[in-house]
Amino acid sequence: NAGVTQTPKFRILKIGQSMTLQCAQDMNHNYMYWYRQDPGMGLKLIYYSVGAGITDKGEVPNGYNVSRSTTEDFPLRLELAAPSQTSVYFCASTNPGQGVYEQYFGPGTRLTVT
Amino acid sequence: GESVGLHLPTLSVQEGDNSIINCAYSNSASDYFIWYKQESGKGPQFIIDIRSNMDKRQGQRVTVLLNKTVKHLSLQIAATQPGDSAVYFCAEIITGTYKYIFGTGTRLKVLA
């Protein structure tokens, strides 16, 4: 299993540009998450999904959109990029069967908006 | 280079000594807690978890202690090794919501 994969690893955007951060998992996990991590800070939840076709907002959803058309994929869309969106973005997945809530994280996408 | 953890509290420990990393959680309704390790340039990695009906859980070289009265978690690492150098986060969960709330993190530096 590849686990959770994210692309791209790095990206520089100009203000106002758009992009999609890709996330895929091959563990058949129902739950998927997008986080951002700013320097010196913990992880902030942007959006999450409990299954294909179902998404919900986290703590910091403004400026982002998500979709979940398949169990495997959970892309994050940035529209009209702003400098405040400069961050490292992590995708994670889990399947809380039997009461185990371990999240598996991807390697992250480092985004700079200038 | 790493941008995560530039301003985090730092714990410096001599190799071979024990480390204790602390975390205060925010929600008294949280009933499940996880410790993660994040190495430079990587995503967080699960270390150990504990449910709110327990006050202690042990793994290999790691122990988590939970004090619900003061909403406090600690991670103890025995015989700290250079490979333990990383940023450590706690996360709290209210089971059934499946939302994870992460603490700010502590950087552990192991001195040779």
Side-chain angles (χ1 to χ4, degrees):
Chain A
N1 284 355
V4 180
T5 57
Q6 291 184 241
T7 56
K9 284 187 167 42
F10 304 93
R11 184 72 186 267
I12 298 174
L13 279 182
K14 293 190 174 163
I15 294 171
Q17 287 185 319
S18 301
M19 75 165 293
T20 299
L21 283 67
Q22 301 291 345
C23 173
Q25 52 88 14
D26 60 358
M27 298 172 283
N28 203 31
H29 285 171
N30 289 325
Y31 293 77
M32 295 188 74
Y33 304 78
W34 273 106
Y35 295 94
R36 59 178 286 171
Q37 186 175 41
D38 299 330
M41 304 295 287
L43 296 163
K44 297 290 186 186
L45 180 64
I46 305 172
Y47 270 96
Y48 70 103
S49 168
V50 299
I54 306 169
T55 62
D56 207 350
K57 295 177 181 178
E59 300 171 77
V60 290
N62 292 343
Y64 308 94
N65 275 300
V66 292
S67 59
R68 185 96 183 271
S69 55
T70 66
T71 299
E72 294 78 19
D73 300 297
F74 191 39
L76 177 72
R77 178 84 178 158
L78 277 73
E79 304 282 2
L80 298 174
S84 61
Q85 293 179 303
T86 294
S87 191
V88 181
Y89 291 84
F90 289 101
C91 179
S93 72
T94 188
N95 220 19
Q98 300 176 348
V100 177
Y101 297 90
E102 177 180 353
Q103 281 184 318
Y104 294 81
F105 283 83
T109 294
R110 187 180 298 275
L111 176 68
T112 302
V113 182
T114 61
Chain B
E2 178 187 72
S3 61
V4 170
L6 284 177
H7 309 293
L8 293 174
T10 299
L11 174 67
S12 296
V13 174
Q14 208 67 35
E15 182 179 354
D17 286 353
N18 297 336
S19 303
I20 300 176
I21 300 170
N22 296 305
C23 176
Y25 65 92
S26 57
N27 194 332
S28 56
S30 295
D31 56 357
Y32 188 94
F33 306 88
I34 301 178
W35 277 101
Y36 288 92
K37 173 185 181 183
Q38 187 175 23
E39 295 175 284
S40 177
K42 296 184 179 178
Q45 182 181 14
F46 174 93
I47 303 173
I48 191 168
D49 58 0
I50 189 168
R51 297 186 174 284
S52 59
N53 62 354
M54 305 169 71
D55 52 22
K56 181 178 179 179
R57 188 158 190 229
Q58 288 184 293
Q60 188 176 13
R61 278 201 312 120
V62 294
T63 300
V64 55
L65 299 178
L66 174 62
N67 185 329
K68 294 181 286 294
T69 303
V70 294
K71 293 193 288 186
H72 183 268
L73 275 172
S74 68
L75 177 71
Q76 301 177 0
I77 304 173
T80 311
Q81 302 168 359
D84 296 326
S85 292
V87 176
Y88 290 81
F89 295 95
C90 66
E92 58 183 294
I93 304 146
I94 301 174
T95 56
T97 67
Y98 308 119
K99 286 187 184 179
Y100 297 67
I101 300 172
F102 287 81
T104 306
T106 298
R107 177 192 293 277
L108 177 65
K109 284 189 177 177
V110 181
L111 308 171

